[in-house]
């Protein structure tokens, strides 16, 4: 009689450890950072992450129970047995080579971008080259409809992992939103200046672009909002058109750019995003504001004018903003 045969079930313990590991992404197996996978983009911070963890815990508990039950199975010694007829090996499973997803994704991206480009061209031709379409409200309605269509399609494509298509169509949505605002500007009263509408549009549009860009991860929206919001103080100073306010416009733009740099730092720490491009562009905006302030200071009257006190206060504010910005630049 032969000795009892003992089989190891260490594979089950390994699977249990993997199921109970809350630091690994269940999709790609890479490390998680605050519930967000920086490799595949899986977001496990909400209800979906809770459901995944509960399912994994239940599966680990079931496997642990199976391990315990298997270890209690009684074993008996059995005599060696040779079959009289050879037992044929089970047929090997047929392995079907999976088609790479990259090829279909690339094809879908090309088709989506091409379709969006054709639709944008058709909307522009119909709006601006149609001699029968002279009503500004109708023209703005056509442009706004295209803007809504593109803006609604971009997040859908992003959720389907078609990032290139989402970025292109999102950028088209930004362009058509700007064209819609410009078309509505034709309805402004005759005495109204263009800078007041530009200020309101930049404030609302830039804020909405940043919020939607952070929520959906569409970079073109985040970039648009990042470059638009610092221009609000400049547009506001141009709309007020006074010598005192003109000096504070560049300072306000530099301060707004600094606030966005601080926000980008917070976003990088909390979500692991890379906002180096946005921060570099905001520094460029600050340099532009400083150059504009210098050009305005060249037109000041001789020393002793009250405007020199305003210039001194403005330069003091610029120095404070520049010193704070330099700290961010030195820290990378």
């Amino acid at each position: 009689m032969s000795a009892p045969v003992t089989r190891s079930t260490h594979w089950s313990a390994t699977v249990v450890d993997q199921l109970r590991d809350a630091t690994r992404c269940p999709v790609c197996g890479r490390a998680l950072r605050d519930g967000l996978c920086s490799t595949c983009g899986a977001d496990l911070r909400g209800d979906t992450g809770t459901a995944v963890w509960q399912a994994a815990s239940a599966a680990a508990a079931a496997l642990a129970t199976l391990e315990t039950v298997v270890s209690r199975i009684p074993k008996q010694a059995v005599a060696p047995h040779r079959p009289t007829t050879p037992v044929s090996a089970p047929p090997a499973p047929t392995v079907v080579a999976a088609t790479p997803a990259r090829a279909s994704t690339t094809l879908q991206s090309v088709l989506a971008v091409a379709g969006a480009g054709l639709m944008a061209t058709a909307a522009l031709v119909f709006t601006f080259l149609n001699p029968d379409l002279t009503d500004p409200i109708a023209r703005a309605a056509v442009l706004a409809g295209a803007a809504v269509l593109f803006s609604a399609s971009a997040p859908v494509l992003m959720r389907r992992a078609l990032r290139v298509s989402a970025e292109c169509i999102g950028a088209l949505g930004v362009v058509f939103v700007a064209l819609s605002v410009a078309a509505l500007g034709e309805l402004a009263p005759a005495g109204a200046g263009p800078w007041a509408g530009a200020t309101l549009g930049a404030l609302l549009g830039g804020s909405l672009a940043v919020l939607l860009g952070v929520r959906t991860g569409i970079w073109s929206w985040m970039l648009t909002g990042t470059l638009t919001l610092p221009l609000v103080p400049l547009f506001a100073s141009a709309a007020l058109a006074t010598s005192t306010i003109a000096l504070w416009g560049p300072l306000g733009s530099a301060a707004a750019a600094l606030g966005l740099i601080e926000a980008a730092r917070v976003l990088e720490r909390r979500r692991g995003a890379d906002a180096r491009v946005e921060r570099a562009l905001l520094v460029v905006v600050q340099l532009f504001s400083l150059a504009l302030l210098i050009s305005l200071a060249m037109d000041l009257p001789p020393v002793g004018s009250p405007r020199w006190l305003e210039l001194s206060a403005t330069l003091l504010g610029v120095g404070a903003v520049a010193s704070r910005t330099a700290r961010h630049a030195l820290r990378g």
Side-chain angles (χ1 to χ4, degrees), residues 294-318:
I294 293 175
S295 66
L296 292 175
M298 298 297 292
D299 297 333
L300 284 176
V303 179
S305 172
R307 290 201 62 194
W308 280 94
L309 181 60
E310 301 168 7
L311 178 61
S312 301
T314 305
L315 291 178
L316 182 61
V318 170

Side-chain angles (χ1 to χ4, degrees), residues 227-306:
L227 295 179
T228 303
L229 286 178
L231 299 179
V232 173
L234 285 178
F235 292 162
S237 62
L240 296 176
T242 62
S243 58
T244 302
I245 298 298
L247 286 177
W248 295 99
L251 177 59
S253 293
L258 176 60
L260 290 174
I261 291 176
E262 298 277 2
R265 284 286 188 181
V266 174
L267 184 63
E268 287 178 333
R269 289 196 301 266
R270 292 186 177 180
R271 298 196 175 185
D274 187 4
R276 288 177 296 180
V277 176
E278 288 83 355
R279 289 191 283 113
L281 291 175
L282 289 171
V283 173
V284 173
V285 171
Q286 289 181 320
L287 294 176
F288 171 76
S289 300
L290 179 60
L292 181 59
L293 180 61
I294 293 175
S295 66
L296 292 175
M298 298 297 292
D299 297 333
L300 284 176
V303 179
S305 172

Side-chain angles (χ1 to χ4, degrees), residues 2 17 20 34 55 58 60 69-70 116 121 155 171 186 189 195 197 218 222-223 234 238 245 257 264 271 273 286:
S2 61
D17 292 338
R20 290 175 176 172
D34 295 332
V69 173
V70 170
T121 303
E186 299 179 6
W195 293 113
I218 298 178
M222 294 180 61
L223 182 63
L234 285 178
I245 298 298
R271 298 196 175 185
Q286 289 181 320

Side-chain angles (χ1 to χ4, degrees), residues 71-143:
S71 64
R72 296 175 181 175
I73 296 178
K75 302 177 180 62
Q76 297 181 358
V78 295
H81 174 71
R82 289 185 178 182
T84 55
T85 57
V87 179
S88 59
T94 303
V95 179
V96 180
T99 305
R102 184 176 299 273
S104 62
T105 301
T106 304
L107 179 59
Q108 292 178 15
S109 301
V110 172
L111 292 177
V113 173
L118 291 175
M119 186 175 297
T121 303
L124 292 175
V125 170
F126 178 78
T127 304
F128 294 102
L129 300 181
N130 186 3
D132 297 328
L133 189 62
T134 57
D135 187 7
I137 297 180
R139 184 182 295 113
V142 173
L143 295 174

